[in-house]
Amino acid sequence: MRSNFSFLFLLSLITIIAGCSSSQHKFVSPIKPRVIVLTDAEIDDQCSMVRFLLYANDFDIEGIITTSSQYHSHGHRWAGDDWLKPFLDAYGKVYPNLIKNSKGYPTPEYLRAHSFLGNVASEGEMDSITPGSQQIVKVLLNKSDNRPVWIEAWGGTNTLARALKTIEEKHPERMAEVAKKMRFFFIWEQDSTYQSYIRPHWGKYNIPTIISDQFEAIAYRWKNIQPEKMQKYFDAAWMNEHILQNHGLVFALQGAHG
């Protein structure tokens, strides 16, 4: 549902700082955090996807996976299986300008090849093996790269649960190895699969987990949480003038969807 990049962005900054040699004052390219995004494509997720794409040079993106939640699934406020296409098309059009500022932006072709449909049939459905769940399995079982993988659930965790169940069923001897690689960042718990499957079967491995509700400060109830002096920056008039209107193709797409 709602994404919060502050933690991962801070992690990126720490990595950059750590990559600078204090003795030789030589800059070393940072090691980017590996990220898999699970999103139910709610309106705020679509806006978050715009911001995520604009920061795509800061991450090694292993997957963008459409999943469901208690709020969105097939037949229930669904944005469509192909909702991501116009966002990636817009990214492709601004990509030549983005790489003028940073060579680290992934190509549009790479992002399309790493976008998958997960478990979207209904809230919490985790019986079906899907392209999205299989991508998670592939990344987690890949022995050639043992760097941590941040798995962000902006929506439900059911596609992640399906992937972990596949690993438990087919590769039980590798569960501890896989768990050591994972980091969880969940925006609320937007279906029951974390409590019903992930915790009971994987909790013993003490996977670092953040379940965040801090987005409330900038989400639906911002007027009740933000200090009065900050509220103008969340008002439609300020947003339209300074962000949504006449500030480039990708931001225009955000305005159209959010």
Side-chain angles (χ1 to χ4, degrees):
M1 190 175 172
R2 303 150 183 90
S3 65
N4 183 337
F5 292 113
S6 58
F7 183 85
L8 286 178
F9 187 64
L10 177 60
L11 179 62
S12 298
L13 292 177
I14 293 172
T15 306
I16 293 171
I17 294 170
C20 298
S21 169
S22 59
S23 59
Q24 300 180 14
H25 304 286
K26 183 191 283 185
F27 181 79
V28 179
S29 297
I31 298 175
K32 298 179 182 180
R34 302 169 72 197
V35 174
I36 295 175
V37 170
L38 309 173
T39 171
D40 63 353
E42 191 172 358
I43 291 296
D44 56 348
D45 282 28
Q46 295 181 29
C47 294
S48 294
M49 183 55 61
V50 170
R51 295 189 290 275
F52 180 71
L53 292 175
L54 292 174
Y55 283 98
N57 61 315
D58 288 327
F59 305 104
D60 275 348
I61 299 173
E62 301 277 7
I64 301 174
I65 299 172
T66 297
T67 187
S68 60
S69 73
Q70 62 182 306
Y71 305 102
H72 295 269
S73 61
H74 273 185
H76 181 62
R77 300 178 180 175
W78 190 236
D81 293 354
D82 60 350
W83 71 274
L84 188 57
K85 183 180 183 301
F87 291 81
L88 296 184
D89 289 346
Y91 177 88
K93 291 179 180 178
V94 301
Y95 174 73
N97 192 54
L98 290 173
I99 60 174
K100 291 178 181 178
N101 300 285
S102 172
K103 299 299 183 184
Y105 279 97
T107 66
E109 293 75 20
Y110 176 91
L111 291 179
R112 291 188 181 98
H114 286 77
S115 299
F116 303 91
L117 188 65
N119 295 63
V120 298
S122 60
E123 173 190 342
E125 187 278 310
M126 58 173 287
D127 294 328
S128 303
I129 295 175
T130 62
S133 72
Q134 287 294 82
Q135 174 64 8
I136 298 172
V137 170
K138 176 183 176 181
V139 171
L140 293 178
L141 292 181
N142 181 7
K143 289 188 174 183
S144 68
D145 192 344
N146 289 317
R147 289 178 297 148
V149 181
W150 282 91
I151 302 176
E152 301 184 14
W154 304 359
T157 55
N158 59 323
T159 303
L160 170 61
R162 174 63 259 179
L164 296 181
K165 187 174 182 180
T166 296
I167 293 173
E168 181 182 25
E169 292 173 344
K170 296 185 177 181
H171 305 279
E173 75 286 354
R174 297 189 61 186
M175 289 178 67
E177 169 197 338
V178 166
K180 188 176 180 181
K181 187 182 293 188
M182 291 189 292
R183 308 288 187 270
F184 293 156
F185 185 91
F186 303 152
I187 305 299
W188 276 357
E189 295 180 47
Q190 296 180 45
D191 63 34
S192 64
T193 54
Y194 178 68
Q195 297 295 339
S196 65
Y197 171 75
I198 297 175
R199 282 190 68 185
H201 292 254
W202 292 80
K204 62 185 177 182
Y205 299 111
N206 296 315
I207 300 165
T209 300
I210 299 171
I211 300 177
S212 174
D213 58 5
Q214 295 174 346
F215 66 87
E216 287 285 14
I218 57 174
Y220 300 113
R221 285 178 278 276
W222 58 268
K223 282 191 175 181
N224 299 325
I225 298 173
Q226 286 285 349
E228 186 174 352
K229 66 179 181 180
M230 297 295 296
Q231 291 188 12
K232 69 176 182 179
Y233 301 114
F234 294 80
D235 187 74
W238 191 94
M239 285 281 184
N240 282 323
E241 179 181 356
H242 297 281
I243 296 179
L244 299 180
Q245 303 297 328
N246 303 314
H247 289 279
L249 179 63
V250 176
F251 279 113
L253 185 63
Q254 175 172 307
H257 288 78

